[in-house]
Amino acid sequence: MNENLEAVIREICQKYANDSARMMDIVRDVQASMGGVSKVAMKAIAAAVGVAQVEVESVVSFYAHLSSESKGKVVIRLCNDFIDRMFGANRVAETFEKEFGIKFGETTDDGLVSLEYTPCIGMCDQPPAALINDRIVTWLSTDMASRIAKAIKEEGNIDKLNLPNGDGNNSHPLVNSMVHNNLREKGDMIFANFVPGAALKNAIAETPVECIKNVKASRLRGRGGAGFPTGMKWEFTRGADGDEKYVLCNADEGEPGTFKDRVILTEAPELMFEGMTVAGYAIGAQSGVVYLRGEYQYLTDFLNDVLQKRRDAGLLGKNILGKEGFNFDIRIQMGAGAYICGEETALISSCEGLRGDPKNRPPFPAQKGYLGKPTSVNNVETFCAVAKIMEKGAPWFAQKGSTGSAGLKLFSVSGDCKKPGVYELPFGTTVKELLQKVGAEDAIAVQVGGACGITVAPNDFDKEICYDHLATGGSVMVFGPGRDLLELAHSFMEFFEEESCGYCTPCRVGNTLLKRRLEYIIEGKGTPEDLIYMETLGNTIKHTSRCGLGQTSANPVLTTLQNFRSLYESKVKPSVDGLQPSFSLDKAVGLSEEIVGRKSIHHHD
Amino acid sequence: MTKPKVATTSLAGCFGCHMSILDIDDRILKLVELIDFNKSPVTDIKKFSERCLVGLVEGGCCNEENVHVLQDFRKNCDVLISVGDCAIMGGIPAMRNGISLKECFQEAYQDGVTVYNPSGKIPSDKELPLLLDKVYPCSAIVKMDYHMPGCPPSADTIWETLVALLTNKPLDLPYELIKYD
Amino acid sequence: MSDKIKFTIDDVEIEAEAGQTILQAADAAGVYIPRLCANKNLTPHGSCRVCTVKVNGRSQAACTQPVAPGINVESESEEIKAYRKSLVEMLFVEGNHYCMFCEKSGNCELQAVAYRLGIDAPKHEYLFPSRDVDASHPEIFIDRNRCILCGRCVRASKELDGKNVFQFVGRGIHKKVAVNSDAKLSDTELAGVDMAVSSCPVGAILRKRVGFAIPVGQRLYDAKPIGSDIEASRTDK
């Protein structure tokens, strides 16, 4: 048994040249082949690639999709983010639990099925959604959940259900998925016609330095949300010492409510790969890596096929488009369920086969990034914009959008609206204009920028969505009358508690404390002092956390406190006689009563 | 002129902090010039007979009686002070917080190596206050105004703090007097 | 003279060498900035955030942020002091810190920093986690109740001992220090003399049979606050 296990692991490790930097691929493959990465497996991997066993354990224990325990043959990961719950995820969960006779977090005794919850899987426009192993199912009803459960119990998979494929490339034989694009409004940028090579031809007609100058002139800023000027990032990377440089594409689209990269990857991967290749030319890199979130595994065969076609067409590989010495190729690195890996230095850590901990800065990735080499990490959409800039020219791009935020932007709109989906609109569009387009004029709140963004109140709906006012990497979640915004804030705090890497104190501990205090308030056990406590704690987290995740993790509480304070005020009441309302004697003696077998006789409350 | 009243109690504590109060030695004579003790093991007064300025609370809350006493202190005292680490964070009794209550009972009354209990019953006499699910710091149950750390806080710390409070002067304890052990 | 970098901490001018971190430069100048994960023999970690300062108005960890000419560092402002207190209080409520019977008490850096910051009691709710103790090793034990996840053992084992005994596993509030074996510390190559043991700032990794060796009153932080040694060398007095 063990000999067999070791042989399998040796083979997997050899496939990746026993390179510890490919640890993510190795542990993913081991998990796929054995259902989990046991301690014995960790030891074998460690021996094969020459690292300590505890280093392997460190990686496996970090990612939500990896496990040291053996999971069921079929793992159902139901998305339980706020939007999916709004549209019935709880009822779907109950159906699965009833059908399989287990609770979420458990595996059936026969080892057939594991039920797990997962944060946003990038399907908020078609909720509730779930991952069944690598396959995505959307618009789940209780009825469909029953059918899925029956199929799994009878066949061990859902192949025979013949779930209808989605539109566009979702029906491509290599994708074969029921996911829908819901592409509601196309601008003349990302989803416009594009002839592969068109951008590259223009790029290589210039020097790399001129190329970067063009990107700078276009005023393009990073589409992931932080908005760093792309041209400047490239300039730093190009200027850094070293011959070996890297282009990394951040396709770890994990911000709750964002799914526009998924549509790019499905419908415009050529544009993205071309943008990466332009970046390779501009900064002098020979290799690119697309870090693809584990949830989008279903797209890998398709993307690898596109890459192969580009190689065949001379758009990747050696002497690209006949340009002597211009060599560049791209590989896809799969993630394994960790929101933090969307942070650029955590993404680099993960690509290096490590836990997804962010790195200390300085040095910045442009100086010392992937494998210690100068690296530019850009968003999927940013690379697409670069390709269009090369094709159409910097002025064409620069004149679009608003003053500080040039260009068009993709918005992923979900929640209480008639037309959820992807919209390509100029920066500077107001919330109100967007709500009209999506059919949500009665919204009581709009979450701009995802969990780490801002909960916007109606009196701010005139504000523009752009880097200077309401910044977003694309996520726009709409909430209609009757939605409980404190529950929304709570679900985001749960998300951050779960997704914090745990490296620094304020994010690791502070978010747990903040979430608990919010729970007291929601339960009606909060006092006015608790609001001040939460504000102070939230600001401490914001100002002392080490990376962007931590620095924005208190936003769900801080921005609702700012924009919807009356909701909190209606929940809290001053403590009576100096008693802490969060303490309940009834609850505290409940266990004792059960064990001892009598009721408390001192009960007053 | 009536003197301010002070009450003291030991909840889930070891009376060590009360010993430390007595450790102020002859300064206790000065103290009784400044204050009157009301409900306290020092006076053996069981029920508050007057409103108190200061309540000194030793120990955290491990059972329902502790909770009632603490809440009573909060109602009857203007200023409530956690005296010692048990009042502040549960202290040694809170070591059970990492273990389930059921296991605690089993170890104490059924499975422990020194237990002699042929009936195997867990005591349930109604005179015994029920244990809480865990040991709570005082501040989790009522609002505490000040905290005096230490196990126990030294007599000097207690003396300086009380004098500052009673004479309405700012408290500036020297470094050596703030200790958690 | 020309390769010296000048900047200010709380309006005091500091001279630093290029390549130093703010914390290193402050130490050299006799200005103490509280810290827990930083240790002068180890690579900066930047995890406890207790050394947070403001550099030209922006929060940074002094232990990882390099000096630069003319920067204005704010360290002892009311705002920064409040952050530090809150962070140290978080570490106290995150674990189970029973100072009253811990052998490290009096020599513990967490405790000493808390004393120095004037913390009487944490303002956060105690979390009382269930954590384990590993006493399998003949000379050393780990009490994870006391661990503050500073990563000094992880770094010291690698950087100073040339081993790889410790590493973090899990994430978020469930993160903990694991050892390089199937389960037990005794199955690792840790030795009693390893720097990974002595580098622990708290009582989480301790040598057995030492106990309360130093009488109360004579321990490292009984009489003088942590950082006093650094401040003793202050040059601008």
Side-chain angles (χ1 to χ4, degrees):
Chain A
M1 180 69 193
N2 269 3
E3 270 171 38
N4 181 35
L5 176 144
E6 277 168 30
V8 172
I9 286 177
R10 264 200 306 274
E11 197 180 313
I12 289 171
C13 293
Q14 264 162 24
K15 188 171 141 198
Y16 300 104
N18 293 327
D19 181 0
S20 65
R22 299 299 295 275
M23 187 63 78
M24 285 295 282
D25 301 285
I26 293 170
V27 289
R28 279 180 56 93
D29 283 10
V30 170
Q31 165 124 353
S33 126
M34 300 173 181
V37 187
S38 65
K39 287 260 182 177
V40 183
M42 290 178 197
K43 188 175 266 177
I45 295 169
V49 304
V51 300
Q53 182 185 337
V54 74
E55 301 279 359
V56 184
E57 188 182 353
S58 180
V59 173
V60 172
S61 64
F62 188 87
Y63 298 92
H65 294 180
L66 300 173
S67 167
S68 58
E69 281 151 34
S70 205
K71 288 283 160 75
K73 195 167 145 262
V74 179
V75 181
I76 299 181
R77 293 192 171 90
L78 177 66
C79 176
N80 71 337
D81 69 11
F82 196 76
I83 298 269
D84 285 65
R85 279 190 267 159
M86 275 166 42
F87 291 93
N90 290 344
R91 289 193 301 277
V92 171
E94 280 165 26
T95 306
F96 279 135
E97 288 187 336
K98 213 159 78 194
E99 289 284 350
F100 293 114
I102 53 168
K103 296 273 169 208
F104 270 75
E106 296 175 351
T107 302
T108 52
D109 288 337
D110 59 0
L112 178 64
V113 175
S114 296
L115 292 179
E116 290 182 5
Y117 285 119
T118 181
C120 185
I121 57 172
M123 303 290 156
C124 283
D125 56 337
Q126 40 212 306
L131 273 161
I132 298 182
N133 289 345
D134 294 332
R135 199 158 163 180
I136 284 172
V137 288
T138 67
W139 281 312
L140 283 169
S141 59
T142 49
D143 182 49
M144 177 133 91
S146 295
R147 283 173 55 212
I148 288 171
K150 285 198 177 74
I152 291 171
K153 281 190 276 191
E154 281 161 21
E155 313 275 339
N157 59 55
I158 55 169
D159 297 347
K160 288 222 172 119
L161 284 182
N162 286 323
L163 299 170
N165 278 336
D167 54 343
N169 281 336
N170 291 300
S171 296
H172 189 286
L174 290 174
V175 180
N176 197 22
S177 168
M178 72 183 294
V179 174
H180 278 70
N181 290 327
N182 292 326
L183 188 46
R184 305 280 180 176
E185 187 159 332
K186 292 184 189 183
D188 59 351
M189 199 164 290
I190 297 201
F191 298 107
N193 283 337
F194 176 74
V195 181
L200 262 178
K201 259 177 221 144
N202 290 348
I204 58 173
E206 298 178 328
T207 66
V209 173
E210 282 167 342
C211 233
I212 292 175
K213 212 184 244 175
N214 259 327
V215 176
K216 283 172 87 174
S218 75
R219 300 191 290 120
L220 172 65
R221 293 169 69 178
R223 263 36 187 168
F228 194 83
T230 307
M232 211 190 280
K233 202 180 238 184
W234 287 12
E235 195 169 61
F236 292 150
T237 314
R238 177 166 185 83
D241 291 335
D243 296 332
E244 202 182 323
K245 291 176 185 174
Y246 290 93
V247 174
L248 261 53
C249 175
N250 187 344
D252 192 53
E253 181 174 56
E255 189 62 56
T258 320
F259 43 83
K260 48 101 186 165
D261 290 346
R262 184 239 305 152
V263 180
I264 294 178
L265 292 160
T266 310
E267 299 301 331
E270 288 271 7
L271 195 64
M272 175 186 83
F273 289 137
E274 184 130 341
M276 287 181 73
T277 314
V278 169
Y281 175 72
I283 69 173
Q286 303 205 324
S287 304
V289 181
V290 177
Y291 187 86
L292 186 64
R293 71 183 305 208
E295 291 80 353
Y296 293 169
Q297 163 88 38
Y298 74 102
L299 290 169
T300 44
D301 287 347
F302 170 68
L303 292 173
N304 276 318
D305 184 59
V306 175
L307 283 174
Q308 192 49 50
K309 286 187 175 126
R310 287 182 68 83
R311 280 181 205 114
D312 297 343
L315 297 169
L316 279 176
K318 296 232 180 300
N319 305 321
I320 292 169
L321 287 177
K323 179 102 176 170
E324 195 66 33
F326 175 27
N327 307 327
F328 188 77
D329 211 331
I330 296 171
R331 76 170 173 95
I332 293 171
Q333 173 67 60
M334 291 308 299
Y339 167 73
I340 182 61
C341 290
E343 198 278 344
E344 64 173 2
T345 59
L347 183 148
I348 292 172
S349 295
S350 190
C351 284
E352 291 170 338
L354 304 169
R355 305 163 53 83
D357 287 338
K359 295 175 189 285
N360 283 320
R361 277 157 291 205
F364 290 88
Q367 306 157 289
K368 260 181 105 172
Y370 178 55
L371 303 174
K373 309 293 180 193
T375 302
S376 181
V377 186
N378 302 97
N379 181 266
V380 168
E381 191 183 343
T382 310
F383 283 121
C384 293
V386 161
K388 291 310 275 193
I389 289 164
M390 288 300 140
E391 185 195 2
K392 303 257 188 183
W396 171 84
F397 186 89
Q399 47 95 16
K400 293 175 190 291
S402 68
T403 325
S405 313
L408 304 186
K409 177 79 188 84
L410 294 184
F411 297 108
S412 319
V413 186
S414 61
D416 294 313
C417 58
K418 292 193 186 83
K419 291 179 280 180
V422 172
Y423 293 76
E424 184 169 41
L425 301 169
F427 264 126
T429 302
T430 64
V431 176
K432 193 179 259 168
E433 287 163 351
L434 187 59
L435 289 177
Q436 275 162 4
K437 275 187 193 294
V438 304
E441 286 90 341
D442 60 347
I444 60 158
V446 178
Q447 184 74 22
V448 178
C452 71
I454 301 169
T455 315
V456 183
N459 55 353
D460 285 331
F461 284 178
D462 286 329
K463 284 193 176 169
E464 293 179 5
I465 304 178
C466 61
Y467 295 110
D468 303 321
H469 298 290
L470 297 171
T472 177
S475 174
V476 177
M477 292 182 259
V478 183
F479 303 100
R483 299 296 181 193
D484 186 337
L485 300 180
L486 297 190
E487 286 294 346
L488 172 71
H490 181 253
S491 81
F492 288 150
M493 289 317 298
E494 272 185 324
F495 171 76
F496 282 120
E497 183 186 37
E498 182 66 33
E499 296 297 331
S500 164
C501 77
Y503 192 102
C504 74
T505 312
C507 178
R508 182 182 71 240
V509 190
N511 283 322
T512 293
L513 295 170
L514 199 53
K515 188 201 79 174
R516 287 173 75 112
R517 198 59 65 110
L518 180 58
E519 282 166 359
Y520 291 141
I521 289 170
I522 289 172
E523 290 164 15
K525 296 172 185 169
T527 62
E529 292 83 35
D530 288 335
L531 303 187
I532 298 164
Y533 172 83
M534 290 205 301
E535 243 157 9
T536 310
L537 176 59
N539 277 313
T540 304
I541 297 169
K542 181 175 176 170
H543 289 287
T544 61
S545 287
R546 179 164 165 264
C547 78
L549 186 155
Q551 286 155 13
T552 54
S553 60
N555 279 353
V557 169
L558 290 177
T559 71
T560 46
L561 266 173
Q562 191 178 356
N563 298 334
F564 295 92
R565 201 172 186 96
S566 60
L567 293 179
Y568 286 92
E569 282 166 348
S570 69
K571 283 270 186 187
V572 296
K573 33 186 188 295
S575 80
V576 181
D577 293 338
L579 308 184
Q580 298 286 19
S582 54
F583 176 78
S584 154
L585 185 55
D586 273 341
K587 217 168 145 189
V589 295
L591 251 179
S592 245
E593 288 179 331
E594 209 176 284
I595 297 167
V596 173
R598 70 169 174 86
K599 286 278 169 193
S600 164
I601 51 164
H602 295 283
H603 267 191
H604 300 304
D605 47 3
Chain B
M1 196 195 84
T2 58
K3 288 185 275 183
K5 309 292 179 288
V6 173
T8 77
T9 188
S10 179
L11 306 174
C14 68
F15 273 93
C17 295
H18 272 78
M19 292 298 137
S20 206
I21 296 175
L22 299 180
D23 258 354
I24 61 176
D25 296 335
D26 55 345
R27 285 173 291 186
I28 199 147
L29 299 173
K30 275 193 207 157
L31 189 63
V32 290
E33 277 172 26
L34 286 170
I35 58 142
D36 280 335
F37 279 106
N38 196 273
K39 178 180 162 71
S40 166
V42 179
T43 56
D44 213 23
I45 298 174
K46 306 283 192 218
K47 285 194 167 151
F48 281 100
S49 56
E50 278 179 280
R51 183 156 188 87
C52 294
L53 175 69
V54 182
L56 301 176
V57 181
E58 169 187 349
C61 292
C62 74
N63 63 33
E64 55 183 337
E65 192 220 359
N66 295 155
V67 173
H68 292 307
V69 173
L70 180 59
Q71 290 175 338
D72 201 29
F73 262 68
R74 182 67 274 181
K75 280 171 200 160
N76 287 285
C77 303
D78 294 344
V79 176
L80 217 47
I81 305 179
S82 332
V83 180
D85 293 340
C86 295
I88 288 174
M89 51 80 69
I92 304 273
M95 286 183 73
R96 79 156 157 104
N97 288 0
I99 303 162
S100 77
L101 187 60
K102 190 154 197 170
E103 274 180 87
C104 291
F105 274 119
Q106 280 168 348
E107 181 69 19
Y109 297 113
Q110 291 167 338
D111 304 340
V113 279
T114 58
V115 171
Y116 176 75
N117 179 11
S119 78
K121 276 189 184 151
I122 292 169
S124 67
D125 192 292
K126 58 186 191 313
E127 286 303 307
L128 295 172
L130 291 174
L131 291 190
L132 307 181
D133 54 347
K134 64 179 182 194
V135 176
Y136 290 80
C138 290
S139 61
I141 292 174
V142 302
K143 185 176 174 296
M144 301 299 291
D145 300 294
Y146 298 102
H147 304 277
M148 211 188 285
C151 188
S154 74
D156 288 343
T157 307
I158 296 171
W159 170 252
E160 297 285 341
T161 307
L162 279 179
V163 169
L165 195 65
L166 294 167
T167 57
N168 223 354
K169 296 215 171 87
L171 176 64
D172 190 17
L173 287 176
Y175 173 78
E176 313 85 72
L177 285 193
I178 298 185
K179 290 285 175 288
Y180 305 157
D181 59 0
Chain C
M1 199 58 197
S2 58
D3 52 356
K4 291 272 187 198
I5 289 173
K6 283 185 180 169
F7 70 101
T8 61
I9 299 180
D10 294 330
D11 300 325
V12 176
E13 187 161 279
I14 308 277
E15 265 194 2
E17 313 280 342
Q20 276 184 321
T21 63
I22 291 172
L23 191 78
Q24 288 164 342
D27 281 359
V31 175
Y32 173 72
I33 299 172
R35 83 292 302 264
L36 284 169
C37 67
N39 175 293
K40 62 182 192 308
N41 300 317
L42 300 171
T43 309
H45 200 234
S47 62
C48 75
R49 313 309 282 178
V50 173
C51 72
T52 294
V53 292
K54 284 210 171 179
V55 179
N56 295 340
R58 213 188 140 114
S59 296
Q60 300 283 4
C63 70
T64 56
Q65 187 66 19
V67 295
I71 53 170
N72 175 15
V73 178
E74 188 188 306
S75 174
E76 292 288 321
S77 65
E78 291 309 312
E79 183 192 355
I80 296 288
K81 282 196 284 190
Y83 292 155
R84 288 180 187 152
K85 266 184 151 173
S86 184
L87 292 168
V88 171
E89 289 173 6
M90 283 182 207
L91 293 171
F92 271 98
V93 302
E94 181 193 21
N96 297 307
H97 296 276
Y98 297 100
C99 294
M100 65 292 283
F101 65 82
C102 178
E103 296 101 298
K104 192 80 171 198
S105 191
N107 301 307
C108 167
E109 292 180 41
L110 174 68
Q111 193 189 55
V113 168
Y115 290 161
R116 174 152 184 147
L117 296 174
I119 293 171
D120 50 8
K123 305 295 176 285
H124 307 302
E125 176 187 8
Y126 281 92
L127 298 177
F128 293 119
S130 286
R131 294 198 183 162
D132 56 9
V133 177
D134 181 346
S136 60
H137 193 283
E139 292 174 73
I140 310 294
F141 70 89
I142 306 179
D143 184 346
R144 292 189 174 86
N145 289 291
R146 303 166 179 170
C147 179
I148 57 169
L149 301 167
C150 67
R152 282 203 203 168
C153 56
V154 176
R155 286 173 284 155
S157 186
K158 261 189 212 156
E159 296 169 16
L160 305 178
D161 301 329
K163 301 177 185 176
N164 211 334
V165 175
F166 301 102
Q167 188 49 273
F168 291 119
V169 297
R171 72 183 189 198
I173 196 76
H174 306 296
K175 182 176 174 170
K176 64 174 195 171
V177 168
V179 298
N180 188 32
S181 72
D182 286 344
K184 296 196 305 234
L185 186 60
S186 53
D187 296 334
T188 69
E189 27 167 19
L190 186 72
V193 295
D194 280 0
M195 297 299 284
V197 177
S198 52
S199 65
C200 180
V202 292
I205 305 178
L206 285 177
R207 298 186 57 189
K208 290 182 175 175
R209 291 177 290 280
V210 173
F212 305 90
I214 309 170
V216 173
Q218 294 167 32
R219 298 170 305 180
L220 208 48
Y221 306 117
D222 276 339
K224 281 187 178 165
I226 190 169
S228 300
D229 51 339
I230 289 169
E231 288 169 322
S233 68
R234 181 133 176 190
T235 45
D236 72 316
K237 276 182 294 198

